[in-house]
Amino acid sequence: MMIEEVLNKESFSREDLIRLLSADETESLKIFNKAQQVRKEYVGNKVYFRGLIEYSNICSKNCFYCGIRSGNKNQSRYQLTNQEVIDAARYAHKNRFASIVIQSGERSSKKFIDTIEYLLKEIASLTNDELHVTLSLGEQSEETYKRWFNAGSQRYLLRIETSNPELYKKIHPDNSLHRFESRVENLKLLRNTGFMVGTGVMIGLPFQQIEDLADDLLFFRDFDIDMVGMGPYIEHKNTPLYQYKDQLLPLKERLQLSMKMVALLRIMMKDINIAATTAMQTIDPKGREKALLAGANVMMPNVTPLKYKENYLLYDNKPGTEDDAERGKVAMESDILNAGNEIGYGEWGDPQHFRRRVNR
Ligand code: 5AD
Ligand code: SF4
């Protein structure tokens, strides 16, 4: 079937998505154009900033793809002080980011949970509730989610990593800490707690097929997700999956596929927030701009204190580890303007999708 014919359908079937994800470069331009139109019409031209705080690289999990997995003994470990978190939040607020993301390896000690709750309350009071906080702290208990929600966080990111349970098993250790079913269960808990919920996948994983990516898109749609962050899988030397590096798609193709995923998701879920991810930037200096052109509308300038950045390497060649927050911000602003977009300074940029979903 001609690409236009598929693109113009009201709704995509699994077969349609497989066809679209297999589009060549010329055909892909048509997908990006359509996604751009949808984006302009439904979410507008603005890009929202989320200042990213990489709070700690201490993690109790051992995911086979990730550089800060607990089994990587070559990694030195850190955690920001409360003051450093608050300073980073103030920086974001002062620069009118309107929103920050606190991300870290997964932990569930009482001290960790209490500290996050304390920080959320502090940030809310220091910024007169003007700075919104997204959490990306892995799987937690329902009680913990409730405490953090009540302390002032509005959004939670928990990537499903892949919607294929078999593939999930291959890229994680086989134990109770790493279960696909609990991942899905946690997304439901987060939703029921009241969070705007974000998820995402890695693209170009070893053993992953085009069919899996089509299913990932259907998973986002069926779950009625509010926000998505997804990007290419990039190998890291000190991880078990590194042994499959020769079976991977070339980096350029992983990027191209990621752009198609972003564009198709924009066409399918018109009013959600989609992030231009750092992993896309890793492959191509213009990766973020390209993600915007494919339909993304959120960027995450890193506001972690510089001295920690080189210790939060989930994959090799992560860019920006030598830039302080100011340089990173300036680079991002120019990416956005280059892509012909505007910056939503001081705007929360809540996904319109969330409002529609809760008002239904
Ligand atoms: N390549 C790309 N993304 C990765 N992540 C972890 N390791 C890698 C990697 N090697 C992503 C996961 C995780 C998020 C914090 O970073 O999707 O959810
Ligand atoms: Fe920990 Fe997240 Fe890395 Fe898994 S992907 S090892 S949970 S930081």
Side-chain angles (χ1 to χ4, degrees), residues 137-327:
L137 305 171
E139 293 174 42
Q140 303 286 344
S141 70
E142 184 171 12
E143 192 210 332
T144 302
Y145 289 145
K146 284 192 174 143
R147 277 177 58 190
W148 290 345
F149 184 76
N150 292 331
S153 165
Q154 300 82 6
R155 308 187 185 129
Y156 206 102
L157 305 176
L158 186 71
R159 288 189 176 183
I160 189 83
E161 313 297 357
T162 169
S163 64
N164 176 345
E166 290 306 311
L167 179 56
Y168 193 92
K169 260 195 195 156
K170 289 186 186 149
I171 62 172
H172 294 97
D174 183 13
N175 63 36
S176 61
L177 272 182
H178 304 81
R179 290 265 182 266
F180 179 79
E181 295 70 26
S182 31
R183 206 85 186 154
V184 178
E185 200 45 47
N186 271 267
L187 283 175
K188 290 183 186 153
L189 280 178
L190 286 163
R191 145 118 6 132
N192 293 338
T193 306
F195 282 104
M196 300 177 214
V197 183
T199 191
V201 293
M202 285 175 284
I203 297 156
L205 284 162
F207 322 116
Q208 191 179 45
Q209 308 290 322
I210 283 287
E211 288 76 7
D212 297 322
L213 294 172
D215 289 335
D216 290 343
L217 292 170
L218 295 172
F219 177 91
F220 300 147
R221 183 172 76 188
D222 294 344
F223 197 89
D224 205 14
I225 205 79
D226 302 305
M227 316 177 287
V228 171
M230 57 184 167
Y233 162 73
I234 300 169
E235 57 274 32
H236 184 293
K237 275 190 205 62
N238 295 319
T239 59
L241 286 192
Y242 194 68
Q243 62 185 301
Y244 303 110
K245 65 177 192 316
D246 298 329
Q247 299 174 25
L248 301 171
L249 287 173
L251 281 170
K252 277 218 154 96
E253 283 179 40
R254 274 180 259 168
L255 178 67
Q256 187 74 12
L257 206 45
S258 303
M259 288 173 62
K260 281 191 266 188
M261 288 287 283
V262 167
L264 292 172
L265 183 63
R266 173 58 70 205
I267 300 170
M268 292 165 73
M269 300 189 75
K270 303 180 176 357
D271 58 0
I272 64 170
N273 279 353
I274 306 179
T277 56
T278 316
M280 292 178 78
Q281 182 82 358
T282 305
I283 295 184
D284 180 339
K286 288 202 180 315
R288 272 191 311 232
E289 245 172 274
K290 289 185 173 174
L292 295 181
L293 291 171
N297 68 330
V298 166
M299 283 226 205
M300 297 162 71
N302 198 321
V303 295
T304 311
L306 191 54
K307 65 176 175 184
Y308 298 116
K309 278 192 180 171
E310 63 177 45
N311 283 316
Y312 202 84
L313 300 182
L314 308 179
Y315 41 80
D316 291 338
N317 304 319
K318 185 176 165 196
T321 53
E322 282 159 22
D323 291 352
D324 63 10
E326 190 62 29
R327 255 179 90 170

Side-chain angles (χ1 to χ4, degrees), residues 59 61-63 65-66 68-69 104-106 161 314:
C59 187
K61 286 204 179 179
N62 209 7
C63 308
Y65 42 84
C66 177
I68 64 170
R69 57 203 294 273
S104 124
E106 190 172 311
E161 313 297 357
L314 308 179

